Amino acid sequence: MDNMTFVLFGATGDLAKRKIYPALYNLYREGRMPEKISVVGLGRREYTDSKLQSVIKEALESFSRREVEPSGLEEFLEKFRYCIFDATKPESYDKLHQFIKDRESELDIPDNRLFYLSVAPTLIKTITEGLHESGISSNAGWKRLMVEKPFGSDLVTARDLNKKLKEVFTEDEIFRIDHYLGKPMVQKLESLVHANPMLKALLDHDQISNVQITASETVGVGTRAAYYDQAGAIRDMVQNHLLQLVMMTALYNPDKMSTSEIEAEKRGIMESLKPITKENMEENVVRGQYAAGQIEGQAVPAYLEEAGVAEDSNNDTFFAARLEIDNENWRGIPFYIRTGKRMKKKSTRIVVEFKCDGDEEALKDDGIEPNLLIIEINPNESMTLKINIKNQSEEKFEPEYITFSNVSATQPEAYELLLHDAMQGNETFFAHWKEVELSWKWVQPLLDEFEKDGLPLYKYPAGSDGPEEAHHLLKEDGHQWWYV
Ligand SMILES: NC(=O)C1=CN([C@@H]2O[C@H](COP(=O)(O)OP(=O)(O)OC[C@H]3O[C@@H](n4cnc5c(N)ncnc54)[C@H](OP(=O)(O)O)[C@@H]3O)[C@@H](O)[C@H]2O)C=CC1
Ligand SMILES: O=C1O[C@H](COP(=O)(O)O)[C@@H](O)[C@H](O)[C@H]1O
């Protein structure tokens, strides 16, 4: 891997402490970092190098999946320097430029520069302009930009932001993070069929009844009401993570694909996704907001009682929808998606339900249930096949589960995989502009209707599976959400 400078905007922030420092540490421990790397942390706070290093050490102790070992820790921390920086002040960029160049000379490394913008979305354009105008991004070596979500807040703002970034960086220099694409199980989806030809037979589309994608959380809005009360589940989870999971699931191709082939396939899937219009929205979409309830035996407040949430907020904390991909592989097979906060269980999973063979009532009498392929992404990683086996008395069938589980403390986290990929310039598991744009395009009519309160907002008790209406969505088609 090339030696480089890693410039971290937002080095004093929450994401840096919880995800970025632990990810860098684990990469270091595994020998997956460049031999020489200068990490320059930025923020307005008046930290010194040693203050930043002690903040990083505390962050590792709190958040690293690996225990922090004294051996090597000093060497790791020594890579970090701190530069006081205010993104809104032009003079900050000249100072930063000199700072980066001095460290490059000191370490004798080429001017390859990776800029990670872990700051509020409102600062992204300003920083990109500043990098350009100061010449920081006019280096002779390579340059790359990593940007956090949210990427815009609707189709117009996303296009506008992208236009700005493209004035300074080319598409293959922009790494838009969607941390669901960094989840190890999601990364394995693309190669699963290629490596396991038996799945090719199993995933014969003629045999698939429907696909269900769930990302349920037990947490509430927490301390992020200022952002979340504007964003809602639709912008926070659906436009990015859920639609990326739809693309990755529908990426049916038994051959090994290159990054550009994956990108083209994913784009094709988004282009084939039937639009939800004002006219068919109510029959295909369920929007919800949590009421007070219980999570793991503890009483929790309603969304409207959470700190920072407007008392009359009509924001969605739950979203479910029926989707149709109108292409050769998936036509006629519904994809149901749902996500919600304060639900019964933390689980991100894909369930493929297979068609049953025979008369429905007779199958039911025999105890035969649909076969399922369950891909659990989070918090555990596993693949389960649900099959029917005759019980001891040989009279009735009972469901049995064959599970391949991959629970391991050494399993890398999403941010480790994504940082490693960006350091190597591999953009396979980043959100490409066309996908992002098409996702916003699909979501935009929903945003417009939500804005006008054009769709009912159903309440659901915290600790439940979401509003009843989300069950009706499947019942109408003769299906049900699977919980195994
Ligand atoms: N936290 C999370 O779990 C997640 C966060 N994200 C995204 O990551 C980004 C960062 O989030 P998070 O770390 O939580 O935010 P925080 O508010 O915790 O941190 C913001 C950072 O930006 C810096 N900053 C603010 N204003 C300026 C400025 N004018 N000039 C220079 N630096 C500035 C702050 O440093 P200082 O105060 O020292 O100036 C701080 O380091 C956001 O885009 C967020 O949406 C995405 C997914 C999850
Ligand atoms: O991006 C986000 O994701 C988290 C859920 O991520 P997970 O890895 O725990 O499944 C969500 O809580 C947050 O609201 C959202 O911004």
Side-chain angles (χ1 to χ4, degrees):
M1 198 185 294
D2 298 336
N3 292 333
M4 69 182 75
T5 298
F6 181 84
V7 188
L8 179 56
F9 295 82
T12 57
D14 176 68
L15 186 73
K17 290 179 207 156
R18 287 195 309 107
K19 297 287 181 192
I20 302 171
Y21 298 137
L24 290 171
Y25 178 66
N26 287 313
L27 290 175
Y28 165 76
R29 287 278 305 274
E30 284 158 18
R32 301 204 298 151
M33 285 258 260
E35 194 189 334
K36 286 195 205 169
I37 183 166
S38 151
V39 188
V40 180
L42 306 173
R44 290 166 305 176
R45 269 164 254 195
E46 299 204 345
Y47 281 12
T48 57
D49 294 342
S50 62
K51 170 68 183 170
L52 176 69
Q53 291 167 358
S54 73
V55 166
I56 295 171
K57 188 166 173 250
E58 277 168 33
L60 299 183
E61 279 154 3
S62 306
F63 302 115
S64 172
R65 69 179 167 84
R66 278 176 180 274
E67 217 169 293
V68 182
E69 282 183 9
S71 89
L73 182 61
E74 280 312 309
E75 188 188 275
F76 172 72
L77 294 175
E78 174 46 30
K79 298 177 188 303
F80 291 79
R81 293 289 183 275
Y82 186 74
C83 177
I84 299 171
F85 173 89
D86 186 336
T88 60
K89 299 205 169 125
E91 61 272 22
S92 280
Y93 293 88
D94 296 329
K95 184 175 128 198
L96 173 62
H97 198 180
Q98 197 53 51
F99 196 98
I100 294 171
K101 287 197 285 191
D102 288 348
R103 272 298 274 168
E104 283 168 349
S105 311
E106 195 183 334
L107 294 176
D108 190 23
I109 55 175
D111 59 351
N112 297 320
R113 294 171 186 168
L114 175 55
F115 307 102
Y116 192 132
L117 308 196
S118 177
V119 291
T122 44
L123 286 177
I124 293 179
K125 278 204 266 183
T126 314
I127 293 176
T128 310
E129 268 167 15
L131 289 174
H132 179 58
E133 280 160 18
S134 63
I136 300 177
S137 59
S138 308
N139 47 321
W142 54 251
K143 61 178 192 289
R144 292 174 196 146
L145 182 78
M146 292 180 84
V147 266
E148 268 299 337
K149 65 165 276 230
F151 196 87
S153 55
D154 58 16
L155 183 59
V156 171
T157 52
R159 278 181 173 157
D160 181 45
L161 173 60
N162 198 55
K163 192 164 162 251
K164 254 286 159 280
L165 300 190
K166 288 286 186 62
E167 286 169 12
V168 183
F169 295 90
T170 58
E171 177 64 14
D172 60 4
E173 291 173 335
I174 303 173
F175 293 73
R176 296 175 200 82
I177 296 179
D178 184 310
H179 80 277
Y180 271 51
L181 288 176
K183 289 185 185 287
M185 201 59 177
V186 176
Q187 298 205 344
K188 284 170 203 160
L189 285 176
E190 175 262 322
S191 57
L192 216 55
V193 176
H194 167 68
N196 299 285
M198 76 169 188
L199 287 177
K200 215 190 295 182
L202 203 60
L203 292 175
D204 172 359
H205 296 104
D206 288 342
Q207 300 303 325
I208 296 177
S209 156
N210 67 88
V211 178
Q212 306 177 9
I213 298 178
T214 298
S216 62
E217 300 187 83
T218 52
V219 293
V221 64
T223 54
R224 298 169 69 215
Y227 150 75
Y228 192 86
D229 204 34
Q230 303 300 317
I234 179 97
R235 290 184 177 87
D236 188 49
M237 294 292 289
V238 179
Q239 181 275 333
N240 35 69
H241 305 323
L242 282 198
L243 288 179
Q244 282 292 343
L245 287 182
V246 169
M247 287 179 243
M248 293 304 287
T249 309
L251 199 64
Y252 176 79
N253 194 324
D255 301 319
K256 183 102 193 88
M257 285 187 281
S258 65
T259 299
S260 57
E261 284 167 338
I262 294 177
E263 190 187 331
E265 282 274 321
K266 286 172 78 182
R267 187 188 311 170
I269 291 158
M270 281 312 297
E271 280 165 350
S272 308
L273 198 58
K274 278 198 177 168
I276 292 190
T277 60
K278 192 171 174 237
E279 289 68 37
N280 66 20
M281 202 171 290
E282 204 162 333
E283 72 193 70
N284 287 304
V285 172
V286 175
R287 203 178 167 232
Q289 187 186 80
Y290 62 84
Q294 292 222 329
I295 302 269
E296 286 156 12
Q298 296 286 315
V300 295
Y303 179 70
L304 293 183
E305 292 159 17
E306 300 271 21
V309 170
E311 58 187 26
D312 57 349
S313 172
N314 55 5
N315 188 31
D316 40 282
T317 63
F318 176 94
F319 178 96
R322 182 195 291 114
L323 272 52
E324 196 184 336
I325 301 171
D326 193 15
N327 71 12
E328 203 189 329
N329 285 331
W330 295 105
R331 191 166 297 122
I333 303 174
F335 271 61
Y336 303 104
I337 60 171
R338 67 177 163 167
T339 184
K341 291 213 181 278
R342 286 285 190 230
M343 300 207 13
K344 189 160 67 187
K345 199 175 163 194
K346 167 79 184 165
S347 175
T348 308
R349 54 173 49 204
I350 300 162
V351 178
V352 179
E353 178 180 332
F354 296 91
K355 287 179 183 161
C356 283
D357 216 0
D359 175 69
E360 214 176 299
E361 282 309 307
L363 293 171
K364 224 184 224 162
D365 287 348
D366 283 343
I368 294 178
E369 293 189 359
N371 289 142
L372 305 176
L373 172 67
I374 304 151
I375 299 169
E376 179 87 32
I377 293 165
N378 196 22
N380 302 315
E381 259 201 23
S382 64
M383 218 164 87
T384 297
L385 269 178
K386 179 187 173 209
I387 56 171
N388 298 297
I389 301 264
K390 270 212 169 165
N391 64 15
Q392 291 292 26
S393 63
E394 296 277 311
E395 275 168 15
K396 282 223 171 206
F397 285 87
E398 281 176 358
E400 283 287 342
Y401 301 90
I402 308 171
T403 299
F404 314 91
S405 172
N406 188 11
V407 185
S408 142
T410 57
Q411 185 78 332
E413 284 197 355
Y415 275 85
E416 287 169 52
L417 294 172
L418 294 175
L419 274 168
H420 187 251
D421 282 352
M423 284 177 177
Q424 290 191 305
N426 178 356
E427 354 155 53
T428 311
F429 294 109
F430 289 87
H432 307 285
W433 166 242
K434 271 292 159 201
E435 294 155 21
V436 175
E437 185 182 39
L438 288 163
S439 301
W440 277 120
K441 214 169 162 186
W442 187 85
V443 154
Q444 191 62 49
L446 299 161
L447 297 179
D448 295 341
E449 270 321 284
F450 290 8
E451 187 70 31
K452 290 188 276 179
D453 280 337
L455 212 69
L457 183 69
Y458 299 107
K459 296 282 176 174
Y460 61 98
S464 70
D465 289 321
E468 261 313 300
E469 288 71 12
H471 296 283
H472 297 160
L473 197 65
L474 275 72
K475 243 187 219 158
E476 287 161 8
D477 298 343
H479 302 139
Q480 65 176 88
W481 293 105
W482 292 102
Y483 291 98
V484 283

